[in-house]
Amino acid sequence: CLEMVSCLRILILNCILISLSHAQAIDFFLDELEDGIGILTSREGEVTFSYPDGRKAKAELHAVEQLSGLEIRTDQEEHLFLALSNGAALGIYESSEVRVDSYLQQPFEAGKESMELEPTRSKLVLRLTSGSITFTAERLSPLSEIIIDLPIGQVRMHKATGRVLYDNAGAHITIT
């Protein structure tokens, strides 16, 4: 019985050490991430960007934007499409309110952006308050993640193409 207690103590100690190392590893990986960027590839109408510092501006075609903290509003008959530095694409349709809570990506060397899969890892967190977004993220690294927060829950994906619509009737989600 004494030998069993000793083995149990060692097992518990090992579990604690593994948990601590896992937590430190996650912190280490998060420290390596930097703000990801998006390029406005297409726009219809006068789409407005609200920046974290309080500035507001018209979304300019081909502009390169750091997306973390950016709020995007579209009115009737307005939409925009963004190409992201992780290889994903994002479309925001008319009458939508979207906030990029965070978009972080591990930096990579020039020339690696043409690889079949994302050359590093990234995490994109969007908050869809109303309206509709589409996305394609077929080339993400298995370590990457896209999270779409809705007023009624959350959609998480690692590699997908789809559309999320949120309106008075609730969430309408199509993912392939």
Side-chain angles (χ1 to χ4, degrees):
C1 186
L2 198 53
E3 190 173 302
M4 188 179 222
V5 169
S6 178
C7 287
L8 186 58
R9 284 183 183 160
I10 291 172
L11 180 62
I12 291 171
L13 182 59
N14 282 335
C15 287
I16 291 170
L17 290 174
I18 289 170
S19 295
L20 288 173
S21 342
H22 181 66
Q24 287 175 339
I26 289 172
D27 287 344
F28 173 76
F29 285 127
L30 288 176
D31 287 343
E32 290 181 1
L33 300 179
E34 296 179 3
D35 283 330
I37 59 169
I39 300 171
L40 182 61
T41 59
S42 175
R43 180 197 77 226
E44 182 69 37
E46 302 290 320
V47 179
T48 303
F49 285 168
S50 296
Y51 295 90
D53 64 6
R55 289 181 300 124
K56 291 187 180 201
K58 175 182 159 188
E60 296 294 332
L61 195 57
H62 306 297
V64 177
E65 300 282 349
Q66 285 191 341
L67 299 179
S68 289
L70 188 67
E71 292 181 19
I72 304 166
R73 286 181 183 246
T74 58
D75 286 329
Q76 201 70 359
E77 299 183 23
E78 295 181 346
H79 64 265
L80 66 84
F81 294 93
L82 295 161
L84 307 183
S85 55
N86 64 1
L90 178 66
I92 301 174
Y93 289 90
E94 68 178 3
S95 304
S96 296
E97 290 184 34
V98 177
R99 183 180 196 297
V100 182
D101 284 343
S102 68
Y103 176 41
L104 300 172
Q105 183 175 25
Q106 183 182 24
F108 55 90
E109 296 174 22
K112 289 195 174 185
E113 66 274 357
S114 63
M115 297 178 69
E116 188 171 317
L117 288 177
E118 175 187 14
T120 59
R121 69 184 179 294
S122 60
K123 183 174 184 177
L124 172 64
V125 181
L126 301 171
R127 181 171 312 280
L128 177 62
T129 306
S130 64
S132 177
I133 60 175
T134 59
F135 54 88
T136 181
E138 292 295 323
R139 297 174 14 150
L140 288 186
S141 160
L143 301 173
S144 294
E145 171 174 51
I146 295 176
I147 299 169
I148 302 172
D149 284 322
L150 301 165
I152 59 169
Q154 191 176 73
V155 179
R156 290 176 167 259
M157 65 213 84
H158 296 278
K159 189 176 188 180
T161 295
R163 181 176 185 182
V164 177
L165 167 69
Y166 184 76
D167 61 17
N168 293 338
H172 312 272
I173 301 169
T174 305
I175 296 179
T176 58

